[in-house]
């Protein structure tokens, strides 16, 4: 029985099948009609979720609404399966994309028994599907990424704001608790009052009420408004704008602009010839033999034809 080994450059059959499946699924997911269909499906799912909030409509069309919800779930499951097949040749890349993980988690949780029995959690998961529109809207995706990247700076802002509210609330409780117990009677009421004043809502009434207690209250309110409503808010806006620029840079890196030349595909190197080493050794032996012959012929040539002496320059006989 003669076994014929597969060619060196041939791809194993399972790997070739995965590669072919990934190419076909990738061509499907990159098609414009596929993206538009999924986007329309997400909008339809949001419309169904809103229709269920009307009691009369939900009672009369209950069966059809449940059927439409099951059809949407099947369609979303098929979409995730197709996207996973598009990475059949490199499965790790599928899990490196945060949007793929988000989509898979939202769809997979709908099949869990505990989630399916809890109506509130199931509706929240169906509401989370609306966020999947960010995959098809680049500007919305940039905003969501910017908000996520601004969270560390926002936490720092909240800590500074909480410290500022605590300090001014204690000072307000000390000076205005007796004259205005409804707004400064306790620490909690003082914090709530100052939090509302941060939006400049009711600032005029608060200032007039403070002036009846002491004219120095204008310093208290003016300093608080300058720090809380102008400085801290502008710092938060700066953090968000900086995160927005970083999100735009990330979007440009992941999706290059049209017309940009893509990196050329690597050209496979030809397989080495089996007699290349023997041919190379033969050429090296011939070159060495030629060098030996040349070294043997050089001494007789030098003794037979000695180099001629250089001619001395003729003396200058001209007189000045």
């Amino acid at each position: 029985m003669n076994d014929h080994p597969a060619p060196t450059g041939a791809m194993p059959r399972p790997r070739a099948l995965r590669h072919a499946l990934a190419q076909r699924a990738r061509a499907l997911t990159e098609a414009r009609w596929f993206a538009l269909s999924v986007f329309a499906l997400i909008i339809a799912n949001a419309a169904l979720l809103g229709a269920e909030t009307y009691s009369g409509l939900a009672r009369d069309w209950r069966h059809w609404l449940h059927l439409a919800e099951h059809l949407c779930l099947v369609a979303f499951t098929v979409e995730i399966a197709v996207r996973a097949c598009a990475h059949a040749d490199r499965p790790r890349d599928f899990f490196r994309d945060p949007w793929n993980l988000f989509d898979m988690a939202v769809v997979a949780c709908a099949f869990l028994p505990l989630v399916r029995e809890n109506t509130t959690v199931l509706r929240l998961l169906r509401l989370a599907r609306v966020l999947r529109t960010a995959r098809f809207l680049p500007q919305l995706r940039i905003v969501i990424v910017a908000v996520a990247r601004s969270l560390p700076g926002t936490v720092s802002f909240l800590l500074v704001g909480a410290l500022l509210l605590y300090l001014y609330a204690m000072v307000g409780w000390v000076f205005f608790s007796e004259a205005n117990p409804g707004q400064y009677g306790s620490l909690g009421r003082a914090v709530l009052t100052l939090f509302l004043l941060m939006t400049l809502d009711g600032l005029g009434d608060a200032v007039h009420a403070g002036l009846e207690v002491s004219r120095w209250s204008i310093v208290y309110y003016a300093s608080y408004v300058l720090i809380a409503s102008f400085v801290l808010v502008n710092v938060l806006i700066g953090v968000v704008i900086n995160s927005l620029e970083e999100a735009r840079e990330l979007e440009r890196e992941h999706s290059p602009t049209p017309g940009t030349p893509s990196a050329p595909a690597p050209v496979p190197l030809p397989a080495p010839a089996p007699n290349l080493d023997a041919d190379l050794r033969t050429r090296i032996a011939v070159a060495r033999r030629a060098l030996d012959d040349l070294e043997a012929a050089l001494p007789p040539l030098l003794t037979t034809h000695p180099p001629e002496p250089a001619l001395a320059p003729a003396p200058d006989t001209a007189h000045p």
Side-chain angles (χ1 to χ4, degrees), residues 23-225:
Q23 283 186 340
R24 293 187 178 182
R26 196 176 300 121
L28 180 61
T29 56
E30 293 176 356
R32 183 174 179 82
W33 66 267
F34 183 83
L36 292 177
S37 301
V38 176
F39 183 77
L41 187 64
I42 294 173
I43 299 300
N45 178 79
L48 290 174
L49 189 61
E52 292 179 0
T53 59
Y54 296 91
S55 57
L57 187 62
R59 183 179 61 254
D60 298 338
W61 297 85
R62 181 177 181 179
H63 174 72
W64 296 104
L65 289 176
H66 279 251
L67 179 60
E69 164 60 19
H70 290 312
L71 291 177
C72 289
L73 181 59
V74 171
F76 285 132
T77 305
V78 172
E79 181 219 352
I80 295 299
V82 172
R83 292 190 182 277
C85 291
H87 297 79
D89 54 343
R90 38 190 174 84
R92 294 183 180 179
D93 292 347
F94 177 80
F95 296 99
R96 289 175 182 174
D97 190 352
W99 290 107
N100 290 334
L101 296 178
F102 174 76
D103 295 345
M104 187 174 62
V106 170
V107 174
C109 287
F111 293 96
L112 298 178
L114 297 177
V115 176
R116 295 180 63 181
E117 296 173 359
N118 194 327
T119 308
T120 303
V121 177
L122 185 60
R123 286 180 178 176
L124 291 177
L125 287 175
R126 290 174 58 189
L127 184 61
R129 297 176 192 170
V130 182
L131 297 177
R132 297 188 57 210
T133 54
R135 175 189 284 274
F136 308 99
L137 299 177
Q139 296 300 325
L140 180 59
R141 184 166 61 246
I142 290 174
V143 172
I144 293 178
V145 174
V147 171
R149 294 183 67 88
S150 65
L151 288 180
T154 305
V155 171
S156 302
F157 167 81
L158 292 177
L159 292 177
V160 175
L163 179 61
L164 180 69
L165 282 175
Y166 179 80
L167 292 177
Y168 272 86
M170 288 299 299
V171 174
W173 176 78
V174 170
F175 287 100
F176 306 118
S177 59
E178 296 181 359
N180 193 356
Q183 294 181 340
Y184 295 94
S186 62
L187 180 63
R189 292 184 177 181
V191 168
L192 179 60
T193 301
L194 294 176
F195 182 79
L196 295 177
L197 289 179
M198 189 181 297
T199 61
L200 304 180
D201 183 22
L203 179 62
D205 297 336
V207 171
H208 288 298
L211 288 176
E212 294 179 359
V213 178
S214 174
R215 59 183 180 180
W216 292 102
S217 63
I218 189 68
V219 178
Y220 171 80
Y221 286 109
S223 61
Y224 174 75
V225 169

Side-chain angles (χ1 to χ4, degrees), residues 293-310:
D293 296 341
L294 183 60
E295 289 179 357
L298 278 178
L301 291 176
L302 292 177
T303 55
T304 306
H305 303 283
E308 297 181 359

Side-chain angles (χ1 to χ4, degrees), residues 271-289:
N275 297 328
L276 181 60
D277 294 340
D279 190 18
L280 183 59
R281 292 192 187 96
T282 305
R283 293 184 180 181
I284 293 175
V286 172
R288 286 180 177 175
R289 194 177 301 110

